[in-house]
Each structure stands twice: as C-alpha cells, then as structure tokens.
Amino acid sequence: MTLTPRRPVFDANATGGAFGDLPDWDLSDLYAAPDAPELATDMSWLETHCAEFARDYEGKLADLDAAGMAECIARYEAIDEKAGRIMSYVGLRYYQNTGDVARVKQMADAQDKITGYTTPLVFFSLEFNRIEDAHYETVFADPRVSRYKPVFDRMRAMKPYQLSDELEKFLHDQSVVGAAAWNRLFDETTAALEFDVLGETLSLEATTTLLSDHDRARREAAAHALARVFKDNIRTFSRIHNTLAKEKDIEDRWRKMPTPQTGRHLSNDVEAEVVQALRDAVVAAYPRLSHRYYALKAKWLGLDTLQVWDRNAPLPTEAPREIQWDEAKSTVLDAYAGFDPRMAEIAQPFFEKGWIDAGVKPGKAPGAFAHPTVTSAHPYVMLNYLGKPRDVMTLAHELGHGVHQVLAAKQGEMLSSTPLTLAETASVFGEMLTFRKLLAGAKTKEERKTLLAGKVEDMINTVVRQIAFYDFECKLHAARAEGELTPEDINALWMSVQGESLGPAFEFMDGYETFWSYIPHFVHSPFYVYAYAFGDGLVNALYAAYEAEPQGFQDKYFAMLEAGGSLHHKALLAPFGLDATDPAFWDKGLSMIEGFIDELEAMED
C-alpha cells in the first residue's frame, strides 16, 4: 500500500492488452461517487452520534447492567461501521491513484474530521478498563453480551499501560500530525520514485519485479537502479524511521511497556513467549533452510557466489512466460474448489463484481492487499498484476484474505477483525492449495523441480526473510532508544541480519545496505512482519493435519475462519490437535520446508 505519480512498466491500456481484461474496482457498494450526498450525510451522522454516545455513556459505563451494556455496544459498533465505511471508500480511491490531488485531499480531510469526531469516544476504553473485575465478569456472563467478551478481554489487557484520560485524548488528536503524517510521507515518497533501468524509466513495483527476470543482466541493472535511488533518498527514509521509532519509544515509555514489541503482541492476542519460540526456531533453522537452499540454487545457476539479484531468479530450466489473467483466475478458483466448492463460491464474486483492482496504472500504490472494509459491505483486493507466476500466487494469497474476511464478517464489526498472527492463515493456505494443485499436475521432473523451488523460495521469503526483518526491527528500536541513528547506523543494522539469514552463498553488492528503506511494514505496522512467519508455520502444520486426516477437515477450517477475532489462537487450533504454545509446534511447520529441500537435493542424484 503506497502513493503518488509514477510511470509503470505498462500503462493501463497496455496492461489490459498484455494480460487480458484486468478488473478495476467498483466502489459503489460503499458510495456511488466521491461527491455522493450519502457520504456527506454519513459524515454528519457520525459527528452527531459520537457526541451523543459520549453524552449518554461517559462516566456511566461502570453502572450499566447487561441490557444497558448490550445497547451501548450496539451503538458503538454502529459508529465503528460508519467511520469504517467512509475511511474505506476514501482510502481505496486514494490507493488507486495516490497522485490525484483531489483524492489525497479527500482522504486527509476525512481522516481529520473523523479523528475530531471520535475524540470524545476515547473515554470508552479507558473507563471500560476501570470497571471492577467482579462487575465486569457478572455483566459479560449474560448471553446478551457474552459473545463480545473476547474483544473486551483484549481491551482490558491494555489496562496496565493506560494513560490518563486527558493524555489519551491528546494522543488521539495528535495522531494525524504524528505517525499518520510520517506514514503518508513515506507512501508518497516511495510511490513517486523513478528508476532508470537500461534506459527505461520504471516505478518501484516494476523495478522490484525485474529482480525475478530471466535475464541476469536485467536483474543486475534493476538491483543497481534500486540502490542508486534509495541512496539518493536515504536521508528522508532515515528521518522517517528515526522519528517513528522515537515517537514509539516515547509513548511506550509513558505507558511503561516493557519492550517495543509488547504493544504488537497485545494487539495480536499472542504471548511474547510464543513469538520468541517462533523466532528462535526459525533462526536455528537458517542453516537447514535458506543456507542449504541457496547453495543448491548457486549450483543450478552455475555460480560460485550468488548476488542479491539472484535471490529470486527463475531456474535456468524454467521457460519464461506471461500468464493471462483468465488463466490466473481459473488456476486459483480450481485450486480453491478442489479443496471445497464453498471456497471457490465465496471467491467468485471478487472477479465478477468489481472487488479486484488488478492492473498496474499511473499513481497506483505498489504491492498488494485485501481490505475488509466493513461487515455490511465486502472486502476489496488490490494487485499489481504483471503476468508472472508469483503474481498468480499473490492472487491466491490475497483472495485467501478475502475469503477469510467474508466468512468472519458475520461476527460483526467488533469481532470480525482477526489478530495478525491468524490473519495470514487463510492467505497462506490459499497459496498452499494453489501450489499443491500445480504440483499434482506437473508432467515432468523439471516442471516439478521448478514448482518445488518456487515454493521453497516463497516459504523462505515468508519465514526466514520475515524473521530477519523482525530481528532488524528489534535492533532498530533498541538502538534508537539510545540516540539518533545515522543512515549508516541503520544500514549496518540491516546488514547484520542479512548474512546470517541468507547464508554464505551470498555476496552483497555495494548499495544493498539501503534496501531496508522501501519496506512499508516497518513504517506502517512496527513488528507486523512476524505474522507472516507465524502464518506460514501455522499453515504448514494445518496442511499436515489435513493430509493426515482429511475427513471433516474442511468444516473445521471454515469454522476457524468464521470465528474471526472471537477466539484465542489456542482455542482456534485445538480442533486440529495443534497448539502454538508448544515449542515443538514450529519445528513441525519448518520440517515441511526442509522436506521440500530434501526432495530438491534428491533430484540432483
């Protein structure tokens, strides 16, 4: 997700011609147009109802009985839905063309207004956390509100780190010129970057895509172009990271958070010990996974040493081809249907009703995402489709999110949102289903090898790479707490995790030390990245359970997705006989990657 004008590899018309009829979003299910009267009406409704909610409930939450609490929650959820609908609409329009001044202004204005309207609601979580435990337990034992208890249990987990009402309101108001403003600067900076690759001016998305090109010279040229532009902008990126890390350090200190990661763990409803066990298991497995695989890859490519532009290179035996949109669509839907027809039925409307924006277009944000919007509407998926095999897997990934979001929507606004640790489950499972279908259809040894190698690389990128990112973030925030970091300081922290994670097969070119600068997760969602590794390990264990006992698995899987954020990961995984708090759990997931590498090594004999 990102921002402003740039020239992609293909313009909108050329993209459609190259890969078929690529879909665009139809946002009319949210609002008919940016000047639709319903948008202004809803904004006015929100202002009124936020004020009325504060008037009716501030200072009174502790006295509510179950009936009163049920009404209070219903009103709070309605406000949440209205604000979510407005911000989803203006945000999605913005990501379609971040260089359109009118869209930028509309989103910024909406964000400012909604922040102002919702400031009176800051009391809600603060006052809620002051309810006496005995009264809280009594009220939420009542069936009229008991289903919401997981939401409020998570809210009350923040109780030890809560500030005064006045300070919390100040932080809420100040957010639009704090982290949100620096996020926008990062997005607009990255989206405006242009890269000269062999005489062609490309966007960030198009240039990073070239790192998986068949032509090694083009890959190398793209890597050097990235390094040049990142170096030219490194002071800006350094300032953004320094400021956001320091802002977080200050807030964490005021809240008495024990570590910079604590807030993320709390919001993810996951224990720090579980994340540490995941991190330690992956780091211990580096030699068995990434180091071993990249040694194999160097041999396949006929190289003594891999350069960074070889990391995602296709195998020499892999024939270059561009995959038409219709083929990508049928590949993913067929894989979903092979698992359970219900899964394909949920995914089908994304293609038919304008719920996907697929083409690369001027000003469009790079990357891909699935946004759930609100439970009274439906999710939207954004892609930048360039016809590569990895683009098909990205489609499978984001549609997995979409299916999950559709199923969880029945929980309502407050319970549908899944903690990040489980938010990647359906997306990674969707990728696994697509991969397994393709693998089953492989007709030759070389085709199977190509598919296996591609999957191993995806898994290394999802597990090894993301845990290395997590370690980098941990080091960055720890170092920033000691003082201002120069660009060279941040570069050194980045390189300290690269060799360890990728292994001795790699040589790192001058300039690679700046490649931390364009990764949006570090800016938008500190410590988010471990969720990818969590999701991959969890899905590997889930898929092993599916293979071991397929009978009834689909129903249990759908029930897990439908639960949204209503259950803790321990309860969600129990029906499958899995437990992420067991230190051995992560080795089960990692063993699947190791098994694929074993098979690739055996093919060399």
Side-chain angles (χ1 to χ4, degrees), residues 94-131:
Y94 169 68
Y95 284 122
Q96 277 186 304
N97 187 355
T98 59
D100 182 337
V101 174
R103 296 181 191 223
V104 174
K105 175 176 168 52
Q106 185 178 38
M107 189 181 80
D109 287 349
Q111 195 171 43
D112 286 349
K113 286 180 180 179
I114 290 176
T115 299
Y117 298 162
T118 55
T119 295
L121 306 188
V122 171
F123 83 90
F124 184 73
S125 61
L126 305 176
E127 193 173 312
F128 206 97
N129 286 349
R130 289 196 288 266
I131 297 174

Side-chain angles (χ1 to χ4, degrees), residues 90-381:
V90 298
L92 291 171
R93 287 192 73 247
Y94 169 68
Y95 284 122
Q96 277 186 304
N97 187 355
T98 59
D100 182 337
V101 174
R103 296 181 191 223
V104 174
K105 175 176 168 52
Q106 185 178 38
M107 189 181 80
D109 287 349
Q111 195 171 43
D112 286 349
K113 286 180 180 179
I114 290 176
T115 299
Y117 298 162
T118 55
T119 295
L121 306 188
V122 171
F123 83 90
F124 184 73
S125 61
L126 305 176
E127 193 173 312
F128 206 97
N129 286 349
R130 289 196 288 266
I131 297 174
E132 291 294 331
D133 289 346
H135 183 63
Y136 171 73
E137 295 296 337
T138 299
V139 169
F140 279 86
D142 189 288
R144 285 171 287 188
V145 290
S146 57
R147 66 183 298 267
Y148 291 99
K149 192 170 184 292
V151 175
F152 294 107
D153 283 348
R154 286 196 286 272
M155 184 187 291
R156 285 169 76 84
M158 282 295 295
K159 186 176 179 178
Y161 312 111
Q162 200 166 280
L163 300 176
S164 70
D165 292 13
E166 188 176 33
L167 273 175
E168 292 288 0
K169 287 179 180 178
F170 168 76
L171 288 174
H172 180 82
D173 276 352
Q174 189 262 353
S175 64
V176 293
V177 292
W182 289 97
N183 281 197
R184 281 181 55 204
L185 175 61
F186 173 84
D187 288 344
E188 291 168 8
T189 301
T190 53
L193 297 178
E194 292 185 334
F195 303 83
D196 184 351
V197 183
L198 301 175
E200 190 175 8
T201 301
L202 303 178
S203 67
L204 175 59
E205 185 80 25
T207 308
T208 55
T209 296
L210 283 178
L211 295 176
S212 57
D213 197 89
H214 278 76
D215 185 336
R216 192 170 191 240
R218 283 170 65 78
R219 296 199 307 270
E220 180 178 0
H224 286 296
L226 289 166
R228 280 194 303 272
V229 175
F230 294 159
K231 183 179 179 181
D232 289 344
N233 291 273
I234 202 67
R235 289 172 64 86
T236 299
F237 290 124
S238 177
R239 172 54 44 224
I240 292 169
H241 282 70
N242 263 290
T243 304
L244 287 172
K246 185 61 179 178
E247 182 187 59
K248 188 177 190 310
D249 176 53
I250 293 168
E251 184 171 333
D252 284 351
R253 186 156 31 87
W254 276 78
R255 293 190 183 281
K256 296 182 172 58
M257 292 276 188
T259 73
Q261 300 85 359
T262 299
R264 176 61 63 200
H265 300 336
L266 288 170
S267 67
N268 284 346
D269 197 21
V270 66
E271 302 77 12
E273 297 77 15
V274 172
V275 178
Q276 189 64 39
L278 163 64
R279 181 264 173 202
D280 291 347
V282 173
V283 171
Y286 285 169
R288 308 195 310 272
L289 303 179
S290 49
H291 297 188
R292 188 158 64 110
Y293 174 75
Y294 288 127
L296 266 180
K297 186 162 190 176
K299 181 180 175 183
W300 296 333
L301 295 176
L303 299 168
D304 294 327
T305 306
L306 293 176
Q307 300 291 341
V308 294
W309 55 82
D310 298 316
R311 186 170 60 83
N312 288 323
L315 301 192
T317 53
E318 184 180 338
R321 76 183 190 99
E322 291 178 342
I323 300 166
Q324 293 291 297
W325 177 251
D326 283 347
E327 182 185 346
K329 170 185 170 181
S330 62
T331 298
V332 175
L333 288 179
D334 288 352
Y336 280 18
F339 172 69
D340 192 300
R342 291 174 292 176
M343 199 164 171
E345 287 167 12
I346 296 168
Q348 188 75 40
F350 283 82
F351 296 95
E352 298 173 348
K353 296 185 176 182
W355 299 0
I356 299 176
D357 197 299
V360 179
K361 291 169 280 192
K364 184 178 175 181
F369 62 81
H371 178 56
T373 72
V374 288
T375 56
S376 57
H378 54 78
Y380 284 92
V381 164

